[in-house]
Amino acid sequence: MTIVNKLALVTGALLLLNGCGGSGDDESPSYTLQGKVSGLNGVLVIGMNSNTFNINQDGIVFFGDNFKTGDQVSITVRQQPENQVCAVTGPSSFTFSNAHIADVAIVCENVAEYTVSGTAAGLARAVTLQYQANGGALNDVVINSNGNFEFEDKVLQGTELAFNVKSTTGHTCEVSPAQLTVAQDISNLELSCSTFGKLNGRVTSYGSGSAINIATISVFIADQNGTPSLLQTATSDTEGRFTIDALGYQQRIVVETSAPGFATRSDIALTSEDNPETNTSIALVAADVVTTFDAASAATLSDTNSAMQVSLPAAAFVNASGQAATGTITAALTNIDASSDPAIMPGYYLAVDPATGNEQAIESFGAINAQFTDAQGSALQLAQGVSATIRIPVAARATTPPATIPLLHFNQQTGVWDVEGEATLQTDDQNRPYYLGTVGHFSTWNADALFSSVNILGCAVDNNGADALSNVRIIADGTDYIGRSVTYTNADGEFQIAVRPNSQVLLSVRDTDGQSNTQIINVGTTDLTLDDCLAVSSGAMTVTLTWGDNPRDLDTHFLGPRTENSLDDRFRIYFSNKEETINNVTMYLDRDDTTSYGPEVLTVPQFPLAGRYRYAVHHYNGSGTVFQSPTRVEARVLGETYIFSPTADESTSDTNNSWVVFDVEVTAEGAITVIPVDAYMRRGSEDISGNAVGSLSFSAKQKVSL
């Protein structure tokens, strides 16, 4: 091989041939150093003593010709070619001794590529497995589900891998082995996760209590910057149930629920180390108006039963992609009047004060929900720059509505109301009051007054008064204003809950793991500290009765055995006998309401005896009927919520003036069964004793075992 050819093998030419070896002035013999490279496919960086140079092809390599006897040379591989491993196969260090050296051998081999795979278990949603190759940058591999997984890219033989799992909401994960050196296909990676933070829920119709299946549940939580993001969606089953796992511990979980023909609503939940699993009952209010109109035409949508109205310009809507809606649009409008039950309003009664940016309590004077879908059922919104006019009926229990009021929309991701405009008080041609406003998008719109609150300060303890209870939910519902406040106790069982000044509220613990009696609290213009802690029991049952303007006065009646399984020796709790103690268990009618709407609240800490208990509603005073009111009974039994409404209309101001709602059958072993009744009977004869026991029949389908 010529010198020229030899030099071509040495790209970079970092060595001056005359400069390698001993001193150039020495007249002693000079010797050459050369070798051979084989198998090379790429660029190899070789080191000779302190010098480096590149080799880019197989063949003879000439290292220099000016070495002297006694010179020492070391040949090393400084950088491997991509996807190859090269090595000096013979001696790599030499000392010249009166001879040329020509037997340096460098052999390169392709590096094998291997797959990396394993199994994942315990995931509730996608988890990111991260790895470093030879200490380099982190690489992400998304594992979407339990079972087998495999890396998309193969890994070179000899690569040192180190694994870890990226922090994932509600997951604690480990990977084994945590480190390895690749020498073959890897198939034994084990990604093992456990989850924490869980929400169980049931979606029902607010009016009937019937399960809503195929409801869509979307859960939002805030990221580290406080920005809400969608965590997961679920669909309710045939019983209306759903579960969202791996929520983590969250101070505010926004649960948005939607179903065709119902107003979308959002509820708020909390998880913590003390209460890692929580339950929620979501009651959707059926739309009052479901109608269609042509997308290209202007439309005015009205409710004949209220002042609710939405007026739309032509070609007002676009789909999620921003394309103009065409064809037939379906509108679902719902009047949300929380006069009898503040819980039907989405979220909590909190709004962002535009002046301060802080959350502030609100009082509702009426709200509506409006939803629009195209022929395929896809959601529509007003196009950019398009506005609509809405009429919000003034709530029946709203007192002294102001002439102008802030207009708020519910932010379904943050769970808080945002102020966006103002509405003015008007009346329609039937003299029905409403608030008139202009909106640029649709959700739930509320006519609300923001107020500076005062606080009720207190504590919660177990039923024996021995232990403070942390992270239990406290609820305060206004009786003379439409509003609800919610808070949780701290680690010491203490709470501070904001309410409207100069008001009356119903205060209680209503939590997954317990309940208290409902207290009637009157507050003034300053904070109020309760004298006694709220005593919380595991709670067998609470029943809440609400109704409309008429009849004016409906009464709770709760009947049961004084002795085990008795049909004749029976107690009756009602407005003239608000407490009954049986077998050392005291049951309470916490509140009797005589001025429409309710609520009346019955608390049963536990069922004291085996036997059959009965809940009935007596039409005490006022016009109309129990059916027409409409009347609604919500029973929470061992954490399960049941909704009851009369299914038939009958005069309740004459003979059959009591609506028998449901029975509870309690066995000697403590098993509890809720049995719907839904029948009208005469007050005083509605209990199960005497002739009444034979006058009712129950089908097997009506029984619901807990």
Side-chain angles (χ1 to χ4, degrees):
M1 180 179 288
T2 65
I3 292 297
V4 173
N5 288 335
K6 292 178 181 178
L7 288 177
L9 294 175
V10 184
T11 62
L14 298 179
L15 294 175
L16 294 175
L17 298 180
N18 291 330
C20 296
S23 64
D25 297 332
D26 192 345
E27 295 184 359
S28 61
S30 296
Y31 303 101
T32 61
L33 175 64
Q34 67 182 33
K36 184 179 181 180
V37 175
S38 61
L40 178 63
N41 183 20
V43 177
L44 168 66
V45 179
I46 290 294
M48 188 184 72
N49 291 345
S50 61
N51 299 309
T52 61
F53 55 96
N54 298 347
I55 302 173
N56 60 14
Q57 66 184 55
D58 285 351
I60 302 300
V61 179
F62 184 73
F63 293 101
D65 62 357
N66 198 28
F67 295 98
K68 305 294 184 181
T69 296
D71 286 349
Q72 295 181 339
V73 177
S74 178
I75 305 296
T76 59
V77 176
R78 296 286 179 88
Q79 182 175 315
Q80 301 283 5
E82 186 175 357
N83 297 340
Q84 284 197 308
V85 173
C86 300
V88 180
T89 59
S92 60
S93 296
F94 309 91
T95 300
F96 281 86
S97 178
N98 302 316
H100 302 291
I101 296 176
D103 57 354
V104 177
I106 301 173
V107 177
C108 297
E109 295 180 346
N110 293 332
V111 179
E113 293 183 318
Y114 294 108
T115 60
V116 178
S117 63
T119 58
L123 280 66
R125 64 184 67 87
V127 168
T128 300
L129 176 62
Q130 297 182 309
Y131 70 91
Q132 285 179 294
N134 299 321
L138 282 172
N139 300 277
D140 290 346
V141 178
V142 178
I143 312 298
N144 289 302
S145 59
N146 295 314
N148 297 327
F149 65 84
E150 183 175 313
F151 287 16
E152 182 178 351
D153 297 325
K154 292 187 176 182
V155 182
L156 296 178
Q157 177 183 352
T159 302
E160 294 181 357
L161 296 178
F163 301 97
N164 70 284
V165 183
K166 192 174 183 179
S167 178
T168 304
T169 299
H171 287 75
T172 301
C173 299
E174 294 182 349
V175 59
S176 176
Q179 296 180 344
L180 57 85
T181 299
V182 177
Q184 59 187 0
D185 286 339
I186 307 299
S187 61
N188 64 337
L189 275 186
E190 293 184 1
L191 174 62
S192 177
C193 297
S194 60
T195 60
F196 58 97
K198 188 175 185 178
L199 173 68
N200 302 305
R202 186 166 186 252
V203 185
T204 59
S205 168
Y206 179 84
S208 67
S210 58
I212 300 176
N213 67 341
I214 65 168
T216 300
I217 300 97
S218 301
V219 172
F220 296 87
I221 62 171
D223 61 19
Q224 294 179 343
N225 299 319
T227 303
S229 60
L230 177 65
L231 178 68
Q232 189 173 329
T233 60
T235 302
S236 60
D237 64 17
T238 55
E239 294 183 347
R241 301 185 187 280
F242 67 91
T243 296
I244 305 290
D245 208 348
L247 285 164
Y249 302 141
Q250 309 290 342
Q251 289 299 307
R252 179 179 287 171
I253 303 165
V254 182
V255 186
E256 179 189 347
T257 308
S258 60
F262 293 87
T264 298
R265 66 167 290 116
S266 292
D267 294 81
I268 311 298
L270 173 146
T271 53
S272 66
E273 232 176 320
D274 294 328
N275 294 295
E277 185 169 340
T278 189
N279 297 295
T280 185
S281 295
I282 300 171
L284 298 184
V285 179
D288 295 297
V289 176
V290 178
T291 187
T292 60
F293 61 95
D294 183 70
S297 303
T300 297
L301 314 175
S302 302
D303 178 19
T304 58
N305 296 316
S306 74
M308 179 173 60
Q309 188 179 95
V310 174
S311 297
L312 302 160
F317 290 96
V318 294
N319 61 22
S321 301
Q323 298 174 323
T326 59
T328 299
I329 293 177
T330 299
L333 309 181
T334 309
N335 179 21
I336 302 178
D337 185 342
S339 293
S340 60
D341 185 5
I344 70 170
M345 199 70 70
Y348 296 158
Y349 287 72
L350 291 173
V352 176
D353 184 347
T356 64
N358 298 324
E359 292 182 3
Q360 193 166 334
I362 57 175
E363 173 185 1
S364 176
F365 287 82
I368 67 170
N369 177 271
Q371 300 174 66
F372 300 88
T373 54
D374 61 18
Q376 289 72 44
S378 301
L380 302 174
Q381 265 295 353
L382 291 176
Q384 185 73 29
V386 174
S387 60
T389 302
I390 62 172
R391 293 183 179 184
I392 301 175
V394 174
R397 194 162 61 89
T399 57
T400 59
T404 59
I405 198 168
L407 191 59
L408 284 68
H409 75 89
F410 187 72
N411 188 320
Q412 292 169 333
Q413 296 185 10
T414 65
V416 178
W417 297 85
D418 294 329
V419 178
E420 193 171 322
E422 189 175 72
T424 58
L425 185 63
Q426 309 281 335
T427 56
D428 66 7
D429 55 7
Q430 298 182 50
N431 205 34
R432 297 177 297 194
Y434 64 87
Y435 279 105
L436 179 68
T438 300
V439 301
H441 59 91
F442 282 107
S443 61
T444 300
W445 287 94
N446 207 340
D448 292 277
L450 285 72
F451 60 81
S452 297
S453 57
V454 295
N455 296 305
I456 299 174
L457 293 84
C459 51
V461 295
D462 64 13
N463 204 37
N464 298 319
D467 296 321
L469 299 178
S470 62
N471 283 309
V472 296
R473 185 174 65 164
I474 314 295
I475 294 177
D477 286 336
T479 65
D480 51 2
Y481 71 98
I482 301 174
R484 163 173 281 199
S485 304
V486 178
T487 193
Y488 290 82
T489 57
N490 63 18
D492 298 319
E494 301 167 339
F495 67 86
Q496 176 177 301
I497 191 164
V499 299
R500 197 190 75 174
N502 297 314
S503 67
Q504 183 185 83
V505 299
L506 303 179
L507 182 72
S508 63
V509 173
R510 290 289 180 267
D511 198 72
T512 301
D513 299 320
Q515 64 186 37
S516 72
N517 291 105
T518 300
Q519 297 189 15
I520 302 172
I521 307 293
N522 294 295
V523 296
T525 57
T526 58
D527 291 350
L528 172 67
T529 301
L530 301 179
D531 294 332
D532 300 309
C533 292
L534 299 177
V536 181
S537 65
S538 57
M541 181 174 75
T542 58
V543 186
T544 303
L545 166 65
T546 56
W547 65 98
D549 189 29
N550 285 302
R552 182 174 179 82
D553 189 1
L554 297 182
D555 286 328
T556 293
H557 286 253
F558 183 60
L559 308 100
R562 293 184 189 276
T563 55
E564 192 164 85
N565 288 314
S566 173
L567 298 180
D568 298 310
D569 186 14
R570 310 275 291 171
F571 69 81
R572 181 187 293 265
I573 295 176
Y574 68 116
F575 66 87
S576 289
N577 183 44
K578 293 184 177 180
E579 296 182 14
E580 189 78 31
T581 301
I582 307 291
N583 201 20
N584 295 319
V585 176
T586 301
M587 298 163 285
Y588 303 86
L589 176 61
D590 294 327
R591 183 177 189 254
D592 171 55
D593 182 74
T594 62
T595 57
S596 302
Y597 305 111
E600 293 201 358
V601 182
L602 171 76
T603 300
V604 180
Q606 68 183 73
F607 292 101
L609 297 168
R612 180 168 288 216
Y613 298 78
R614 172 159 289 182
Y615 183 91
V617 175
H618 176 222
H619 180 164
Y620 183 83
N621 187 26
S623 61
T625 68
V626 169
F627 178 87
Q628 295 167 3
S629 185
T631 301
R632 181 179 186 270
V633 171
E634 179 176 308
R636 187 169 178 83
V637 185
L638 297 181
E640 184 80 8
T641 299
Y642 300 88
I643 308 299
F644 304 93
S645 296
T647 58
D649 195 6
E650 187 174 323
S651 175
T652 50
S653 56
D654 297 321
T655 303
N656 290 337
N657 56 4
S658 285
W659 171 46
V660 181
V661 184
F662 67 91
D663 286 356
V664 178
E665 186 72 41
V666 181
T667 68
E669 294 76 25
I672 297 173
T673 303
V674 177
I675 307 170
V677 178
D678 189 22
Y680 295 105
M681 302 182 71
R682 181 171 61 85
R683 159 71 173 85
S685 300
E686 79 275 36
D687 200 6
I688 65 172
S689 60
N691 293 329
V693 71
S695 63
L696 299 173
S697 62
F698 309 99
S699 67
K701 291 184 179 180
Q702 288 178 300
K703 288 195 173 185
V704 183
S705 296
L706 301 180

